[in-house]
Amino acid sequence: MMANFREVFTSEHTILSVVHVENVTQAVHNIRIAQDTGCNGAFLISMRGMDHRNLWNVHQVVQQQIPDFWVGVNYLGAETPLVFRYLSQGVPGLWFDNVEVDERLEEQVMAERNKKVRENSGWEGLDFGGVAFKYQRPVPKDMLGEAARKTMVYTDVITTSGPATGQEADPEKIRIFREAIGNYPLAIASGISPKNVEVYMPYTDAFLVATSLLVPGTEDFDPNRLRQLVKVIRGS
């Protein structure tokens, strides 16, 4: 059974900081910044090839130290069945860059496989699934709506991005997604900043934010930049 995004997050717009994990201390530090600045939650992600089990261990420590804050994980490069079978325990949210839906096909073999693995695992968290996502197989513009529609049965939150890390998504792409999926949850996971977020707010439920809000030359959030983004989104 899929989780309900709107029961987990009740704000009109959900802000999830994405922590580029270097070590436990740095992860805890950035999660506290996310919590203090008014984010709804966060994701941990390793941009430097940290072993998946080690990333899971970091998550466990973070949740022990900050138990009242929602923290998910993106295990970059890990096969979906591996994640659900061995790395989902105690993790309330998982984010996959590729939900493995092929909009050109009627039968979704890989996505169906992943769905069954999830169901058999008994995991009850919230799944963010990448569609037309950076560094994945490109989806032609005239097939974006079809890709989004076919993905609705395979993930809790349809998640898309710009063409690369830190690059904003084409607003027309986001509009097409929204038109195709109606009220289904939609997230953007790249290029969001205080300067551009208002363009996406009419169409988007969740913003996964990182690169534009970091202290230059580090993987640590600038609290002032993150607080400014939250202020723009919250309208206060």
Side-chain angles (χ1 to χ4, degrees), residues 16-108:
L16 302 174
S17 66
V18 180
V19 179
H20 298 168
V21 176
E22 297 181 312
N23 54 60
V24 171
T25 301
Q26 178 259 356
V28 170
H29 169 71
N30 282 279
I31 294 296
R32 291 199 187 281
I33 290 175
Q35 185 180 43
D36 292 345
T37 54
C39 293
N40 301 90
F43 272 103
L44 302 180
I45 186 171
S46 174
M47 304 291 284
R48 301 185 180 183
M50 177 181 288
D51 177 83
H52 299 131
R53 178 58 64 173
N54 289 340
L55 185 57
W56 181 85
N57 288 334
V58 170
H59 178 272
Q60 301 307 294
V61 174
V62 167
Q63 289 281 238
Q64 288 169 8
Q65 295 194 26
I66 313 174
D68 57 343
F69 198 60
W70 190 97
V71 182
V73 181
N74 183 340
Y75 296 103
L76 280 176
E79 291 288 328
T80 303
L82 170 69
V83 173
F84 282 129
R85 287 170 180 157
Y86 304 111
L87 299 170
S88 61
Q89 182 180 358
V91 179
L94 294 170
W95 164 19
F96 300 90
D97 286 3
N98 188 353
V99 81
E100 299 191 81
V101 162
D102 190 330
E103 70 283 351
R104 301 165 297 184
L105 305 176
E106 288 303 317
E107 187 176 5
Q108 301 297 328

